[in-house]
Amino acid sequence: GNVCYTIGYGRDMLKSAPDAMLTCIKNNWSVYYKYVIESMINETDVDADWAKGFKDNALGFTEFGPSCAEGTTEQVGAVIDSIKNGQLNISDIDKKIDRITELN
């Protein structure tokens, strides 16, 4: 009887678990493939630690499931826009430490 809500990774499972699946993080591999092909054409090394995210459209979400709260799609979209335009830096460790200190 209890639902275990989940966020998937790499594969959209919304059709398989419509009541439990909230969304799925997905990779846009075409961004990486373009980088590798351009590196080969330009005869430059492919970075072993290549990593891109929302800002480069290499990462995104599938559709949000019906169990998500109203406004989730818009709120997540606003956060992604903040990452893309540089207003939000999710890797800023100083802000994370400040926030952890606030919570304690």
Side-chain angles (χ1 to χ4, degrees), residues 8 11 17 19 22-24 26 35-37 41 43 53 55 59 74 79 84 87-88 104:
R11 182 169 168 91
D19 295 331
L22 301 176
T23 189
C24 180
K26 63 180 181 174
Y35 164 73
V36 170
I37 291 168
I41 291 169
E43 298 181 358
K55 192 171 187 175
L59 190 61
E74 294 79 12
V79 170
K84 287 182 175 183
Q87 288 179 312
L88 177 61
N104 291 328

Side-chain angles (χ1 to χ4, degrees), residues 32-101:
Y32 180 70
Y33 298 150
K34 180 180 178 188
Y35 164 73
V36 170
I37 291 168
E38 287 176 350
S39 295
M40 292 170 60
I41 291 169
N42 296 325
E43 298 181 358
T44 56
D45 291 337
V46 174
D47 188 358
D49 294 325
W50 185 93
K52 300 293 179 182
F54 291 111
K55 192 171 187 175
D56 300 289
N57 295 318
L59 190 61
F61 290 99
T62 61
E63 179 182 340
F64 289 88
S67 294
C68 289
E70 186 176 323
T72 297
T73 301
E74 294 79 12
Q75 185 63 43
V76 171
V79 170
I80 291 171
D81 288 344
S82 294
I83 292 169
K84 287 182 175 183
N85 68 26
Q87 288 179 312
L88 177 61
N89 178 356
I90 61 173
S91 298
D92 188 342
I93 191 67
D94 291 332
K95 288 183 181 177
K96 289 178 185 177
I97 290 172
D98 291 343
R99 181 69 179 132
I100 291 169
T101 304

